[in-house]
């Protein structure tokens, strides 16, 4: 039995998809269990770049079953566009399976996402405006529409009509907005999309359970990251799902006893898109250098990502809250040619040392990073074995491991599939 969970251990974009892609080669099933097309997962194969939002990154391997689980919120139009792009590149989606229990992102969710952000003004979250929050709101409020509803035409029609009426009223009367939806049009458009998706529908909990029980290799592809978790992240500057490993159990419908390993993906520095406190953020030329060398611009929105030094307080928090058994440390090649690389080992707040990631955003905003400096390294993009890494880079990897409390088993030295070093 081998079931591995891969999650983001920072604020997302840690290079999860690259790790999934590498591990997919030996996997039978790859499963997404939360989030939606707010995710942007990049895989580079022989210089060709693939960007995934809803389809699991494992689709590049013909024998791999790719599951979009019940905890994912699916924009039907978005996933169809992704499928079409893959088909254009000659990649089959024959092995794609979509959960009957997954909630559908409807057009009014996207409109409401935008309206709510505007309404928040300066306190906006900086969402991807993909309708993720409003869709999860409907799910929690018990008025959402699921894939299985499409298979019952009367139920589907009733739910769409009821939602459109209510959302129109909210847009107009609460937000003074002028967008109004026509239920007939929405029904026609979404029936069209869902008809095309129907061949992929399945009870995905059965697929995942059977695969694990049959001793197949199953990978769970996390989206977003620990600090974007609605419970454990920097609330309210978070997404509306559970990117921590615990989210996989609910979002894929598997019990925790069926999971063997939990790998947290980190970058050798930290980035975040959207708003909210970020203790190690760099506002100087060093921040700019990391952004440019690391190509830190959003896969989904194209926004420049905020950059900062590696934060071990966050790393330790991720190891603890997700029970991480290993760390994949990506992008340390981006730190090449920096004389002294900094690692944040704790925070200082009102003169006192803070060693654990605070719950309160106001406290976090007051935290000043306490840094340790380490000697840097040069170009490592052509190195393929751990023993060949410069001693300074190895010392950095070991320090990350010590401070975070889990073994670093993989080190990323470039975006390509082969630019990954297994640590002895
Ligand atoms: P994800 O959302 O966690 O899958 O990450 P993204 O795809 O949004 O962003 C990670 C970016 O870093 C992508 O452009 C990857 O191709 C790239 N990348 C991943 N690992 C490495 C690495 O070790 N070094 C470098 N230079 N780039 C990497
Ligand atoms: P991957 O899977 C980085 C951020 C948004 C915003 C907040 C809420 O590629 O790592 P939402 O649209 O989810 O309501 O936005 O979460 N966010 C991400 N940041 N990587 C992601 O996904 C993200 N998905 C959402 O920028 O700050
Ligand atoms: Mg991303």
């Amino acid at each position: 039995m081998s079931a591995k969970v891969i999650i983001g251990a920072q604020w997302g974009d840690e290079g999860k998809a690259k790790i999934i892609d590498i591990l997919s080669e030996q996997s039978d099933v790859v499963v997404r269990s939360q989030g939606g097309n707010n995710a942007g997962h990049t895989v580079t194969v022989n210089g060709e770049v693939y960007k995934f939002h809803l389809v699991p990154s494992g689709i590049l391997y013909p024998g791999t079953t790719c599951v979009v689980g019940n905890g994912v919120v699916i924009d039907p139009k978005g996933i169809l566009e992704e499928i079409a792009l893959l088909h254009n590149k000659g990649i089959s989606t024959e092995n794609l399976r979509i959960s009957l229990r997954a909630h559908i992102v409807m057009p009014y969710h996207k409109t409401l996402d935008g309206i709510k952000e505007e309404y928040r003004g300066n306190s906006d979250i900086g969402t991807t405006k993909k309708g993720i929050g409003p869709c999860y709101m409907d799910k929690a409020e018990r008025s959402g529409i699921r894939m299985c509803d499409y298979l019952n035409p009367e139920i589907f029609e009733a739910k769409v009509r009821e939602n459109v009426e209510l959302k129109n009223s909210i847009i107009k009367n609460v937000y003074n907005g002028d967008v109004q939806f026509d239920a007939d049009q929405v029904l026609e458009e979404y029936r069209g999309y869902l008809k095309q998706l129907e061949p992929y529908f399945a009870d995905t909990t059965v697929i995942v359970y059977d695969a694990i029980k049959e001793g197949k290799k199953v990978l769970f592809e996390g989206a977003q990251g620990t600090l974007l978790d609605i419970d454990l992240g920097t609330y309210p500057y978070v997404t509306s799902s559970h990117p921590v490993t615990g989210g996989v159990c609910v979002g894929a419908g598997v019990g925790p006893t069926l999971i063997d390993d939990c790998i947290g993906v980190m970058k050798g520095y930290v980035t975040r898109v959207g708003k909210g406190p970020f203790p190690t953020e760099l506002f100087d030329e060093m921040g700019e250098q990391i952004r440019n060398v690391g190509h830190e611009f959003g896969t989904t929105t194209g926004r420049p990502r905020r950059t900062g030094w590696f934060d071990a307080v966050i790393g330790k928090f991720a190891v603890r809250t997700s029970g991480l058994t290993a760390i994949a440390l990506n992008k340390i090649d981006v730190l090449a040619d920096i004389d002294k690389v900094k690692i944040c080992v704790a925070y200082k707040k009102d003169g006192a040392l803070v060693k654990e990631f605070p719950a309160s955003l106001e406290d976090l905003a007051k935290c000043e990073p306490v840094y340790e400096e380490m000697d840097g390294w040069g170009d490592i993009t052509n190195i393929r074995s751990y023993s060949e890494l410069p001693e300074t880079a190895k010392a950095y990897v070991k320090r990350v491991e010590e401070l975070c409390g889990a073994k670093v088993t993989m080190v990323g030295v470039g975006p390509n599939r082969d630019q990954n070093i297994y640590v002895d």
Side-chain angles (χ1 to χ4, degrees):
M1 182 170 100
S2 162
K4 278 195 177 86
V5 176
I6 317 293
I7 62 139
Q10 294 163 332
W11 270 293
D13 303 324
E14 299 89 348
K16 297 176 289 294
K18 187 186 85 169
I19 302 298
I20 301 280
D21 176 60
I22 291 165
L23 299 175
S24 288
E25 193 175 8
Q26 310 123 32
S27 299
D28 301 293
V29 186
V30 180
V31 188
R32 272 281 304 269
S33 56
Q34 44 72 229
N37 58 356
N38 48 350
H41 293 177
T42 320
V43 173
T44 310
V45 187
N46 302 327
E48 172 123 44
V49 178
Y50 298 87
K51 292 182 181 187
F52 297 100
H53 301 284
L54 277 160
V55 175
S57 313
I59 203 82
L60 297 179
Y61 291 96
T64 307
T65 301
C66 285
V67 169
V68 184
N70 54 274
V72 179
V73 289
I74 302 174
D75 176 348
K77 193 175 173 210
I79 198 166
L80 282 168
E81 282 168 5
E82 222 175 307
I83 290 170
L85 274 176
L86 287 166
H87 290 176
N88 283 343
K89 291 192 173 182
I91 294 155
S92 164
T93 53
E94 196 188 356
N95 294 329
L96 179 66
R97 300 288 178 272
I98 295 175
S99 171
L100 284 160
R101 293 182 173 87
H103 280 248
I104 305 172
V105 176
M106 298 296 289
Y108 45 78
H109 291 138
K110 290 185 255 186
T111 302
L112 282 166
D113 199 353
I115 288 182
K116 187 68 203 254
E117 280 286 88
E118 221 170 277
Y119 177 81
R120 286 188 175 109
N122 273 341
S123 349
D124 64 330
I125 290 165
T127 75
T128 58
K129 300 198 179 143
K130 299 286 181 186
I132 307 299
C135 185
Y136 278 117
M137 273 167 77
D138 277 0
K139 174 177 174 172
E141 198 254 350
R142 292 152 294 179
S143 57
I145 306 175
R146 300 189 296 162
M147 290 295 169
C148 57
D149 294 328
Y150 165 71
L151 300 178
N152 189 330
E154 278 166 32
I155 297 279
F156 186 70
E157 178 166 353
K159 288 194 176 185
V160 171
R161 289 199 186 280
E162 194 185 314
N163 269 291
V164 166
E165 192 184 329
L166 202 66
K167 288 341 188 249
N168 277 344
S169 169
I170 293 171
I171 292 168
K172 193 166 151 208
N173 301 317
V174 178
Y175 295 109
N176 219 3
D178 46 19
V179 177
Q180 293 286 282
F181 291 92
D182 178 287
D184 290 316
Q185 257 176 31
V186 173
L187 271 166
E188 195 190 329
E189 186 183 346
Y190 278 70
R191 277 189 193 123
Y193 298 143
L194 293 162
K195 189 174 172 9
Q196 295 175 67
L197 291 177
E198 194 181 338
Y200 300 108
F201 287 179
D203 184 341
T204 53
T205 62
V206 176
I207 297 173
V208 175
Y209 184 78
D210 286 352
I212 295 176
K213 284 292 172 183
E214 285 163 21
K216 292 188 176 158
K217 294 199 168 87
V218 180
L219 269 188
F220 295 93
E221 173 172 358
Q224 289 80 51
T226 300
L227 293 182
L228 291 172
D229 186 282
I230 191 157
D231 265 65
L232 293 154
T234 43
Y235 191 89
Y237 297 99
V238 292
T239 191
S240 300
S241 67
H242 291 291
V244 296
T245 53
V248 165
C249 293
V250 187
V254 291
T257 51
L258 297 178
I259 291 165
D260 305 298
D261 289 310
C262 296
I263 304 174
V265 186
M266 302 181 186
K267 283 196 267 217
Y269 50 92
V270 178
T271 63
R272 107 169 274 186
V273 240
K275 293 204 176 170
F278 176 177
T280 63
E281 183 165 13
L282 289 163
F283 298 95
D284 56 6
E285 279 170 17
M286 183 55 70
E288 196 64 23
Q289 178 177 328
I290 294 175
R291 180 160 37 252
N292 290 331
V293 178
H295 304 290
E296 295 297 353
F297 297 89
T299 313
T300 301
T301 57
R303 289 178 288 178
R305 295 172 180 155
R306 298 157 66 192
T307 53
W309 293 117
F310 187 87
D311 185 334
V313 182
I314 294 174
K316 198 168 75 163
F317 180 74
V319 169
R320 173 157 50 80
T321 54
S322 273
L324 299 180
T325 52
I327 295 169
L329 188 63
N330 271 331
K331 298 189 96 159
I332 65 162
D333 56 298
V334 173
L335 301 176
D337 301 327
I338 296 173
D339 192 29
K340 294 281 177 195
V341 178
K342 291 187 187 180
I343 297 189
C344 167
V345 295
Y347 304 140
K348 241 196 180 140
K349 184 175 82 69
D350 303 325
L353 208 60
V354 177
K355 291 185 174 172
E356 302 296 347
F357 197 74
S360 145
L361 215 65
E362 291 69 33
D363 286 348
L364 183 64
K366 285 191 213 152
C367 284
E368 295 284 332
V370 177
Y371 287 120
E372 233 174 62
E373 281 191 350
M374 301 192 72
D375 289 334
W377 47 90
D379 181 7
I380 53 172
T381 50
N382 291 321
I383 292 180
R384 294 290 176 271
S385 76
Y386 188 68
S387 59
E388 286 168 56
L389 270 184
E391 290 305 320
T392 47
K394 282 192 214 165
Y396 185 79
V397 170
K398 286 293 148 199
R399 193 66 186 129
V400 165
E401 188 168 293
E402 260 166 35
L403 290 166
C404 298
K407 189 163 167 46
V408 175
T409 54
M410 286 188 254
V411 175
V413 293
N416 255 297
R417 224 179 226 178
D418 69 330
Q419 286 176 305
N420 181 60
I421 295 174
Y422 288 94
V423 181
D424 317 321

